[in-house]
Amino acid sequence: MPPNLDWGQLMKVDPDALSGQERLADKLLLSLSKVESNDLKESDHDKLVQLFRITQALMKMKAQEVDLAVEEVEKAGEEQATIESQLKAKVIKLENELEMAQMSVGGRDTRFLRDEIRQLENQLERKEKELAEMEKQINKEKKANENVQFKNVE
């Protein structure tokens, strides 16, 4: 049995109140993730039921964390898409203005508009990279939480 699995302390834990105790939940998650099946062979029924209830509560907490993270990324993605479409519209508008200015002026100094178009394109590119990075981070969090849940189920 791992040295950090204290049955006395585990039996005192109220799984229904665990969601409000993040530090205890993190400590329990770390302890329980180290438990091997052969560590539980001599345990009595009540201890195993308590262990199962704690594990269930921890899995529910982690699932809620994943749901919140997914929700944040989706919200960020929607905001990013809105910004992207606004920037694309602005680029198109500026390109049209540039074209109109070139026609009316005969192609004189249009550096200002070109610079603004370049800046907007760069800004769009940065926002797309930020979105991709956020999506990578949420996928990493999902995988980590799935691994924790998988370990707890074993």
Side-chain angles (χ1 to χ4, degrees), residues 62-73:
K62 291 301 175 183
Q64 287 174 344
E65 289 176 13
V66 168
D67 289 343
L68 287 174
V70 167
E71 192 176 299
E72 286 181 33
V73 167

Side-chain angles (χ1 to χ4, degrees), residues 5 22 64 71 86 96 111 114 121 129 140:
L5 187 61
E22 290 293 325
Q64 287 174 344
E71 192 176 299
Q86 289 172 349
N96 289 338
R111 281 179 271 160
R114 286 187 191 137
E121 287 173 340
K129 287 178 184 178
K140 286 180 184 176

Side-chain angles (χ1 to χ4, degrees), residues 72-104:
E72 286 181 33
V73 167
E74 286 174 349
K75 185 178 178 182
E78 290 171 5
E79 290 173 3
Q80 199 69 24
T82 302
I83 291 170
E84 183 178 337
S85 64
Q86 289 172 349
L87 290 173
K88 284 181 180 179
K90 198 167 186 179
V91 166
I92 291 171
K93 179 184 172 203
L94 289 172
E95 286 173 342
N96 289 338
E97 287 178 9
L98 176 62
E99 192 176 311
M100 295 295 280
Q102 285 176 338
M103 287 181 179
S104 66

Side-chain angles (χ1 to χ4, degrees), residues 9-133:
Q9 187 179 22
L10 282 176
M11 296 306 286
K12 292 178 186 176
V13 172
D14 179 8
D16 297 328
L18 199 54
S19 65
Q21 303 174 24
E22 290 293 325
R23 290 183 94 167
L24 177 60
D26 289 341
K27 182 180 172 187
L28 288 170
L29 184 62
L30 182 64
S31 296
L32 296 180
S33 67
K34 294 178 182 178
V35 174
E36 299 292 329
S37 61
N38 57 354
D39 297 330
L40 302 173
K41 288 186 179 177
E42 295 177 14
S43 300
D44 66 19
H45 180 264
D46 292 338
K47 288 180 180 177
L48 291 178
V49 168
Q50 177 70 357
L51 186 62
F52 178 75
R53 289 184 64 223
I54 291 170
T55 303
Q56 269 186 319
L58 291 171
M59 289 174 58
K60 287 177 184 176
M61 288 175 63
K62 291 301 175 183
Q64 287 174 344
E65 289 176 13
V66 168
D67 289 343
L68 287 174
V70 167
E71 192 176 299
E72 286 181 33
V73 167
E74 286 174 349
K75 185 178 178 182
E78 290 171 5
E79 290 173 3
Q80 199 69 24
T82 302
I83 291 170
E84 183 178 337
S85 64
Q86 289 172 349
L87 290 173
K88 284 181 180 179
K90 198 167 186 179
V91 166
I92 291 171
K93 179 184 172 203
L94 289 172
E95 286 173 342
N96 289 338
E97 287 178 9
L98 176 62
E99 192 176 311
M100 295 295 280
Q102 285 176 338
M103 287 181 179
S104 66
V105 180
R108 279 198 219 154
D109 187 15
T110 56
R111 281 179 271 160
F112 171 76
L113 291 175
R114 286 187 191 137
D115 288 342
E116 194 168 342
I117 289 172
R118 244 182 259 117
Q119 288 173 359
L120 289 170
E121 287 173 340
N122 289 337
Q123 187 178 1
L124 175 61
E125 190 174 312
R126 282 193 308 272
K127 293 293 183 180
E128 287 174 343
K129 287 178 184 178
E130 286 176 21
L131 177 60
E133 186 61 34

